[in-house]
Every structure is written in structure tokens, then in C-alpha cells.
Amino acid sequence: MGKNLQTGGRLRPIDLARAHGLSTQAVRNYEEAGVLPAADRTPSGYRAYTPLHADALRAFLALLPGHGHPTATAIMRAVNRGAADEAFRLIDESHAQLLDDRRTLRAVEDALRDLDPTAAPAASDPGGTFVGPLARQLGIRPATLRTWERAGLVRPHRDPRTGYRVYDGAAVRDARMTHQLRRGGYLLEQIAPLIEQVRSAGGVEPLGAALDDWHRRLSARGRAMLAGAAALEAYLRARG
């Protein structure tokens, strides 16, 4: 291990654990996963941690809210094996994902703003579309539309002559809303009550609270990334 691991006094697993409300087993697991650098052992075989390990643990826990467990783990592993550029690449990818999520949210808001909340043509309306063309328009598989139908999110009618599914204006609206909300990370069971509210209200206003929550979650991620970056920088400085 590097020189920094030998300085600053010895810490026990319980010392690291108590400082962050963790179990000692969790601390050992983090070391085994490469989140913490490998610890020295005492003559009796006990792990001997140092303040540098405490810095590493603080950095990891600070990275978690903004980057998620897999990416935070990969970042720390890269740093601990001396591959800082790999860690920076992973951080860049997380920021790119956050930016993409912000663009998705903007697209959702634009799409909902453009929806005609009262569109519900009759079954015979020649403007209806079939499952294949609608799936291509949304960039999804026809099977996905059928899954949404089984979940009650989309309600196509059947062509009386062919038996094919036909999506009128209201069904297309619901499919677009479902597609955009899925892109935003919402589960089908979370989307279902929103769709029902839109149908009963005759408009998309009930989605306002969900969009506000989405904005808050993205802002929280962005701020968490800043906190994670500060803690990681402190750990990098401690490593020397």
C-alpha cells in the first residue's frame, strides 16, 4: 500500500462504521468490493484502517445519491487502483445521463403541451392508426404497446372487419404520455393512475405534480453530484 495508508493513526472497523451509521460487516464488504483500499492487518489478524480509509468511505457514500451504487462503486475501484482517468470518465457519463434526463423531461413537457386532451375520434375515424405504425412512431416494439394495453394504459378498439387494433386520438395520446413517462423512469403502476386522471379530467393538468416531482428529483441528483465530487476530490488529495 502507498505511504498515505500508513499515516494518521489506526482505526478499527467499528470506528468507520459508527461514524456513518453502518455495520462493521458493511465496512468489510466495501473493502472486499474495492470501494476502500485494502487494509493492513495487525499481528493478530485484525484489519487496521487509517484516516485515508475514512476519506474513501466518505467519498463513496457521498457519490451514492448522485451516481447510484454500481457507478459509485466503479468510480472508487478505479481510483483505488490508480486509474483516475477511468473514474473521471464514469463521472462524465453520469453527468451526460443527467443531461439526457433533463432533455427527456423537457420533451415530455413539450409533448404533453401539444396533446389535444379532448381528442377521441369515433371507432370508424379513418385517422386511427394500427399498432405497427404507432410503435414505429414512438420507437418501441408492438409488444410494448400490447403490454401497456394489458396494464390499462392504452385502450385501442378493434376494427370490426379485420379485428386489428386501431388507436384513435385518445389512445395515441395515452400511448405518447406513457412512452414519455416511461422514459422519465416511471413504472407502469405509477403511470396508470396518472392516465386515469387525465381521462377523467379531460386534460393533462393532473400530470403537473408528477412533472414537478421529476424536476425536484433531477435537481437533487445534480446537487448530490456536486457533493460527491467535493468528497472525491478530498479523497484524491489525501491519496497524494
Side-chain angles (χ1 to χ4, degrees), residues 19-218:
H20 300 283
L22 301 172
S23 68
T24 54
Q25 185 59 52
V27 173
R28 290 190 288 267
N29 290 344
Y30 287 147
E31 181 191 346
E32 291 171 3
V35 168
L36 306 182
D40 281 336
R41 298 282 182 149
T42 66
S44 55
Y46 292 106
R47 287 176 171 84
Y49 293 120
T50 71
L52 187 66
H53 291 92
D55 290 337
L57 184 57
R58 277 192 294 271
F60 173 70
L61 295 177
L63 290 167
L64 277 177
H67 298 272
H69 195 281
T71 299
T73 299
I75 291 170
M76 295 303 298
R77 284 174 174 168
V79 169
N80 289 331
R81 68 172 184 268
D85 284 345
E86 172 66 10
F88 299 151
R89 181 188 66 79
L90 292 166
I91 292 170
D92 289 344
E93 287 181 351
S94 278
H95 281 281
Q97 182 61 61
L98 178 60
L99 178 59
D100 186 60
D101 289 345
R102 291 188 184 279
R103 288 170 174 159
T104 296
L105 173 56
R106 190 177 304 117
V108 169
E109 292 174 323
D110 291 343
L112 295 178
R113 193 177 301 115
D114 293 339
L115 288 174
D116 178 1
T118 62
S124 59
D125 185 1
T129 186
F130 295 108
V131 63
L134 180 57
R136 286 192 294 272
Q137 177 187 339
L138 297 176
I140 60 178
R141 297 179 301 163
T144 300
L145 280 171
R146 290 191 282 269
T147 297
W148 294 351
E149 180 183 351
R150 288 193 295 272
L153 304 177
V154 182
R155 296 175 179 171
H157 62 264
R158 295 280 184 167
D159 185 288
R161 294 168 299 176
T162 65
Y164 294 154
R165 291 173 173 85
V166 179
Y167 297 80
D168 60 18
V172 170
R173 176 201 64 195
D174 294 347
R176 289 177 64 191
M177 284 193 296
T178 299
H179 177 53
Q180 297 289 15
L181 290 168
R182 286 291 291 139
R183 288 185 62 191
Y186 284 82
L187 302 176
L188 296 186
E189 54 266 33
Q190 295 173 309
I191 296 172
L194 298 175
I195 296 291
E196 284 300 322
Q197 290 175 24
V198 170
R199 287 171 181 159
S200 62
V204 298
E205 290 79 8
L207 293 179
L211 294 175
D212 289 343
D213 176 65
W214 194 347
H215 275 288
R216 285 192 293 270
R217 288 189 287 116
L218 291 181

